[in-house]
Amino acid sequence: MPQTRPTVVVLCGSTTYWDELAEANLYETAAGRIVLAPGCNLKRPHPLWADQQQADRLKQVLDTLHLRKIDMADEVLVVNPGGYIGASTAREIDYARSLGKPIRYTEQL
């Protein structure tokens, strides 16, 4: 008997709230969902983005990569502590809506 694939959820939100993204990842995983999430936090120092030009290039790569994660996901969970939604997250929400993806929020708007 074939097994059904678990729901794939992508987390969107500012990496300013990295700990909240990690917590959402934990809860979604514990609920039996496959979680796609930001993999880098450019707001914390790291040798991969220590140089500003490296950081700028990587930001573009990560932005595009996150849109592909939205493509792969069944639904979107916006991690928005205090209702905060920045420009990048707003763009991701618009993109997800254009694809007809269901969108949930950790805090109601």
Side-chain angles (χ1 to χ4, degrees), residues 27-95:
Y27 276 90
E28 292 296 308
T29 300
R33 296 179 186 96
I34 296 170
V35 180
L36 304 175
C40 300
N41 182 356
L42 299 180
K43 292 179 175 76
R44 293 187 180 169
H46 191 280
L48 282 175
W49 51 86
D51 173 72
Q52 188 58 50
Q53 285 184 327
Q54 286 176 303
D56 293 343
R57 280 193 303 271
L58 184 56
K59 170 88 169 97
Q60 290 177 354
V61 168
L62 295 175
D63 286 349
T64 301
L65 184 62
H66 205 69
L67 295 180
R68 300 298 72 83
K69 290 178 183 181
I70 292 169
D71 290 338
M72 295 173 66
D74 300 313
E75 63 183 45
V76 174
L77 176 59
V78 178
V79 178
N80 62 325
Y84 178 79
I85 294 176
S88 292
T89 303
R91 187 180 67 253
E92 292 165 358
I93 292 168
D94 289 343
Y95 182 71

Side-chain angles (χ1 to χ4, degrees), residues 76-78 80 85 93 97 103-109:
V76 174
L77 176 59
V78 178
N80 62 325
I85 294 176
I93 292 168
R97 281 190 181 131
I103 301 171
R104 296 183 286 129
Y105 297 84
T106 56
E107 295 194 20
Q108 294 307 310
L109 301 177

